[in-house]
Amino acid sequence: LIEAQSKTEKFDKWFSVWVQDVIGELGEVWAMIYNEYDSPEFLTEIGDVIWGICAVSLLLGITPQDIIAAKHLNMNDTANSSLSGTVRKMLPLLEMGKKVLRDGSILRPVNRQEVLKYLVTLLDFLNHRYDILSATRLTTAKLLARYPNGYSADESVNRSV
């Protein structure tokens, strides 16, 4: 029972952390959209959003195949969607992450299908507007430079870059 509770608490923490990371990184993209649209830094921020999407997906056991198969869940009209409209559609996902952290997934079970809907919508939006392959490469290079010996929580908290 204690082990199960510990796993649940870890899930609750990491689900909330990664959901908030996705929304926070999306906010950074939004802040840069008018000034730095063509910069490598902008693409790196797109890569950070994708990194967070991957983390949420892995945590929930959502595979890339699941995302591809769930394209019908997209909440956007791909051709006419805007970044601001897509960001607004992500806010309930942020609220879900906050509630799971506050109440725990026992009281607020995570609806995998609901999260998948948000991930599909966001990824489809990014994929139709940005070079997401270059974005993920830039983010990977940034993280490899930041953590040459592998990820360390201490280095992450105390990093200067």
Side-chain angles (χ1 to χ4, degrees):
L1 184 64
I2 291 172
E3 185 177 327
Q5 183 177 7
S6 173
K7 285 182 181 179
T8 300
E9 288 170 0
K10 285 180 184 173
F11 171 85
D12 294 349
K13 173 188 169 189
W14 286 111
F15 178 75
S16 183
V17 163
W18 283 114
V19 163
Q20 291 181 53
D21 179 68
V22 168
I23 303 301
E25 294 296 345
L26 199 52
E28 289 186 37
V29 167
W30 196 356
M32 295 174 76
I33 193 113
Y34 298 107
N35 302 352
E36 303 169 65
Y37 183 82
D38 292 328
S39 72
E41 291 80 16
F42 181 78
L43 266 184
T44 301
E45 291 303 326
I46 297 288
D48 289 348
V49 173
I50 294 166
W51 190 269
I53 289 170
C54 291
V56 171
S57 298
L58 286 171
L59 192 61
L60 292 173
I62 296 172
T63 67
Q65 293 81 5
D66 294 334
I67 292 173
I68 291 166
K71 281 189 76 88
H72 65 281
L73 295 175
N74 188 349
M75 296 181 288
N76 278 340
D77 168 9
T78 301
N80 298 313
S81 58
S82 67
L83 179 60
S84 60
T86 302
V87 169
R88 279 193 288 280
K89 287 180 180 150
M90 296 301 113
L91 294 179
L93 178 63
L94 176 61
E95 193 62 29
M96 188 186 310
K98 288 170 31 182
K99 286 177 180 175
V100 163
L101 186 62
R102 184 187 69 214
D103 301 338
S105 58
I106 302 293
L107 292 176
R108 300 268 184 188
V110 174
N111 181 328
R112 188 174 177 271
Q113 193 75 2
E114 186 75 7
V115 173
L116 185 58
K117 175 177 75 174
Y118 293 108
L119 300 183
V120 164
T121 300
L122 186 52
L123 272 175
D124 189 63
F125 174 83
L126 295 174
N127 188 44
H128 280 86
R129 279 157 188 78
Y130 308 107
D131 180 357
I132 64 173
L133 185 57
S134 293
T136 54
R137 285 182 180 145
L138 285 168
T139 296
T140 301
K142 174 184 80 173
L143 292 172
L144 287 172
R146 185 179 291 165
Y147 305 110
N149 300 319
Y151 176 78
S152 157
D154 287 338
E155 286 180 33
S156 180
V157 170
N158 299 313
R159 70 183 171 88
S160 58
V161 178

